[in-house]
């Protein structure tokens, strides 16, 4: 069966290794990822701040659930996108 999650939102910054790992994992699972670079996009920074009250990257948003960091929440994120 296809993964339940088809889309994810990733707030990150250029050179953020955990963000790159999250992106690679999600793309490998066929998830469409909207990447927002808070270092280059003021609107992305504002959006992230409104969601979590601070700037912290990477932040992975799946089904309106926000995960701060990929490595720390890898099992939970994978359970949402697992085939």
């Amino acid at each position: 069966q296809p993964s339940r999650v088809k889309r994810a939102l990733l707030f990150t910054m250029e050179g953020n290794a955990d963000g790159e790992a999250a992106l690679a994992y999600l793309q490998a699972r066929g998830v469409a990822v909207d990447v927002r670079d808070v270092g280059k996009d003021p609107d992305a920074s504002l959006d992230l701040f409104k969601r979590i009250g601070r700037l912290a990257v990477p932040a992975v948003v799946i089904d309106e659930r926000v995960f701060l960091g990929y490595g720390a929440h890898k099992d939970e994120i994978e359970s949402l996108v697992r085939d």
Side-chain angles (χ1 to χ4, degrees):
Q1 73 183 29
S3 62
R4 288 167 286 161
V5 174
K6 293 296 182 197
R7 302 197 65 80
L9 178 57
L10 173 64
F11 292 92
T12 190
M13 291 181 78
E14 190 174 341
N16 184 282
D18 204 32
E20 289 170 8
L23 180 60
Y25 173 78
L26 292 167
Q27 288 179 331
R29 286 290 185 170
V31 176
V33 184
D34 179 13
V35 179
R36 313 241 359 234
D37 186 330
V38 300
K40 296 178 180 171
D41 181 353
D43 290 337
S45 298
L46 187 60
D47 186 4
L48 180 59
F49 192 83
K50 284 178 178 174
R51 289 173 189 262
I52 65 172
R54 63 191 174 111
L55 290 179
V57 293
V60 181
V61 184
I62 298 173
D63 290 341
E64 296 308 308
R65 292 178 63 191
V66 181
F67 300 94
L68 286 184
Y70 168 64
H73 300 283
K74 192 169 188 246
D75 292 344
E76 221 173 336
I77 291 169
E78 289 184 1
S79 74
L80 290 176
V81 300
R82 192 170 290 129
D83 293 335

